[in-house]
Amino acid sequence: MNRKGGYTMHPRPLDYSFEITTIRHVGDNDATCFTADAVVRDAAGNEVARVAGKRMHSYVEAAEDDAVAAARKAIRGLRNGDPPGRT
């Protein structure tokens, strides 16, 4: 309750989700590397940010871990009011 007897509204954080897409790269010498991209969506299912994988990894799990960390960082930024795509 505020000083005037009314209730103040507190903004609630928006719900976000993310999906990870893993890309397999095969070189000329049959060496395999992986990258992973993340797409962040709002509660309505609209895409609000896309985070491209920046590093190549020898293991798919490492690429996915990087993408999950990048998606979580993007969601933190969105909840803090940063514009989409600014991670």
Side-chain angles (χ1 to χ4, degrees):
M1 216 163 160
N2 62 16
R3 287 185 282 163
K4 295 180 181 178
Y7 290 97
T8 57
M9 292 187 61
H10 296 285
R12 303 184 92 183
L14 296 174
D15 289 331
Y16 294 100
S17 63
F18 59 88
E19 59 189 55
I20 305 298
T21 306
T22 306
I23 301 113
R24 180 177 179 219
H25 307 274
V26 179
D28 295 336
N29 59 354
D30 291 333
T32 302
C33 297
F34 299 93
T35 59
D37 299 338
V39 176
V40 178
R41 299 187 184 278
D42 62 9
N46 301 319
E47 182 179 320
V48 293
R50 182 176 290 269
V51 183
K54 297 177 182 167
R55 293 181 46 197
M56 296 275 211
H57 294 279
S58 338
Y59 298 100
V60 67
E61 294 85 2
E64 289 173 347
D65 288 347
D66 270 359
V68 167
R72 288 180 177 159
K73 181 180 177 186
I75 289 172
R76 276 194 305 275
L78 290 167
R79 286 187 175 148
N80 289 336
D82 296 339
R86 198 173 155 212
T87 55

